[in-house]
Amino acid sequence: MPKLTSSKLSTETGSPSGFSSSSVQSAEADRLEALRNYQILDTPPEAAFDDLVRLAAYICGTPVSLMSLIDAERQWFKAKAGDMDIAETHRDIAFCQYAMMAEDVFEVHDAQLDPLFRQNPLVTNDPNIRFYAGAALITPEGLPLGTICAIDTEPRHLTVQQRDALRILAKEVVAHLELRRARLQLEQETQKLEGLLRLANDRAQSMFMVSRSEIFVKQDSRLVRVHTEDIRYVEALGDYVNIYTSRERYTVYSTMKELEAKLPSREFARIHRKYIVCLDRITAIEGDSVQVDVGRVQDRNVPTLIPIGNSYKATLLSRLNLI
């Protein structure tokens, strides 16, 4: 299996032969921008990543496994399995900064014998690393973010199957990063849209504050203009209300109190805790119910029967022209 040797490392982590320092700096800037676009640095533990590092430890047979992300001057551990108390280290001493640049799984069999790592404080002091194996986390654009790695305090070698499993786990980590980023972007876009809709609704409300002859309702991420004169009645359904017009039914997230404040008070009346009716659409009162002409072509001459709440009946009768 191809490995990154100490001589190759000094080239790849510095200024590679044939590449200017400016191109190396540009590539590092692109890498850091990609990492920050995932919005994952310094976030709390997440089960998906914790599960993957546990799998890495089980598969590789090591007491410790990590998901490491390499920032500009540090390596930060998003997920940890095993006895590893530190949350981050300086980038200069990170094994993972070399592993993420390797062409394949980067493996150090015995760090005490490796000239690149034998003076590393992570080797000479706690956690006393002897064995390290890391697979790079490569974005779909080909930019390395860090590694998923397995660590032991005893020298060892991975089998062919274990190395292959570590490659697969690295791809799974990146897949979860992509899903996580997509979810965050969707949430942010949804918040922006809701903010715009609230702004539009507020402006619409102010435009028609005097007459309140129109309201705007949100339907499938659209704002729909509804003429209040076309509303027959309103029905409460928990956190939502149904607005019935002569042609349509609109279901919106609102309360009866909010909607009642938007309707012209001279034309509408609350007749029940669950119902608001247009007074002009009442065709009859029978006992504790009113009949409302819904006005739909298919339902014409078939009025709707709506109950009257006891506490609303006197107010309703006082607003009707009784003979």
Side-chain angles (χ1 to χ4, degrees):
M1 295 291 176
K3 270 195 295 188
L4 198 61
T5 63
S6 298
S7 60
K8 190 176 180 183
L9 283 170
S10 63
T11 300
E12 293 201 2
T13 55
S15 296
S17 176
F19 293 87
S20 66
S21 61
S22 61
S23 64
V24 172
Q25 291 171 357
S26 177
E28 175 66 0
D30 290 343
R31 191 192 70 78
L32 290 173
E33 182 181 5
L35 174 60
R36 285 158 191 167
N37 283 341
Y38 283 95
Q39 301 179 58
I40 194 168
L41 290 173
D42 301 308
T43 57
E46 297 177 48
F49 300 113
D50 291 342
D51 290 345
L52 290 171
V53 296
R54 284 207 305 273
L55 274 176
Y58 297 153
I59 290 168
C60 296
T62 58
V64 173
S65 181
L66 305 168
M67 174 188 165
S68 174
L69 298 172
I70 305 299
D71 202 355
E73 296 182 351
R74 60 170 177 156
Q75 69 167 343
W76 176 75
F77 304 127
K78 171 61 178 175
K80 297 181 285 185
D83 187 14
M84 177 70 78
D85 293 332
I86 54 177
E88 61 182 60
T89 74
H90 199 280
R91 179 172 174 173
D92 287 347
I93 63 173
F95 282 60
C96 293
Q97 70 167 325
Y98 303 109
M100 76 172 182
M101 305 302 294
E103 296 175 359
D104 196 6
V105 174
F106 179 61
E107 191 172 349
V108 179
H109 306 303
D110 189 341
Q112 281 188 322
L113 303 179
D114 191 306
L116 187 64
F117 297 109
R118 61 189 176 196
Q119 299 301 321
N120 189 302
L122 299 175
V123 176
T124 58
N125 300 304
D126 189 63
N128 301 303
I129 296 174
R130 295 294 177 269
F131 171 79
Y132 173 93
L137 306 177
I138 307 296
T139 70
E141 297 76 28
L143 297 170
L145 304 178
T147 74
I148 183 169
C149 64
I151 295 172
D152 202 346
T153 55
E154 300 292 335
R156 64 168 58 239
H157 289 75
L158 292 185
T159 66
V160 172
Q161 292 79 11
Q162 287 170 326
R163 290 171 65 86
D164 189 42
L166 206 54
R167 294 186 200 99
I168 294 171
L169 288 175
K171 293 177 182 177
E172 284 298 309
V173 170
V174 174
H176 280 285
L177 285 172
E178 287 292 309
L179 287 171
R180 183 182 184 278
R181 178 167 65 175
R183 186 184 72 247
L184 288 175
Q185 289 175 342
L186 179 61
E187 291 173 354
Q188 291 165 0
E189 290 302 318
T190 299
Q191 290 173 0
K192 290 179 183 178
L193 177 60
E194 290 178 348
L196 289 173
L197 289 174
R198 282 195 298 271
L199 179 61
N201 224 355
D202 290 344
R203 288 182 177 178
Q205 183 177 352
S206 64
M207 287 172 59
F208 301 104
M209 189 170 292
V210 177
S211 64
R212 288 188 291 184
S213 61
E214 296 171 329
I215 61 173
F216 284 81
V217 298
K218 180 182 175 183
Q219 297 290 294
D220 298 327
S221 301
R222 295 184 304 128
L223 283 176
V224 179
R225 188 193 303 266
V226 177
H227 293 276
T228 56
E229 65 184 18
D230 200 31
I231 297 174
R232 271 37 181 174
Y233 67 97
V234 178
E235 175 187 33
L237 292 172
D239 294 333
Y240 294 84
V241 296
N242 281 332
I243 301 174
Y244 291 88
T245 70
S246 60
R247 294 175 298 276
E248 302 285 345
R249 183 191 70 184
Y250 301 100
T251 301
V252 297
Y253 182 78
S254 180
T255 65
M256 292 292 273
K257 185 176 181 180
E258 290 173 346
L259 195 56
E260 189 174 15
K262 291 181 170 64
L263 295 173
S265 58
R266 294 179 61 182
E267 300 171 24
F268 288 84
R270 185 83 170 264
I271 67 165
H272 190 277
R273 63 182 180 85
K274 292 181 61 177
Y275 293 98
I276 298 172
V277 299
C278 177
L279 295 174
D280 287 346
R281 300 302 171 180
I282 296 176
T283 59
I285 297 178
E286 297 182 5
D288 293 329
S289 299
V290 298
Q291 289 183 341
V292 177
D293 182 3
V294 296
R296 298 186 187 91
V297 173
Q298 66 270 28
D299 295 333
R300 196 171 299 281
N301 301 322
V302 184
T304 301
L305 200 63
I306 297 175
I308 305 172
N310 290 333
S311 59
Y312 298 91
K313 192 168 186 179
T315 301
L316 172 62
L317 292 176
S318 70
R319 297 185 62 183
L320 299 176
N321 293 325
L322 300 179
I323 298 177

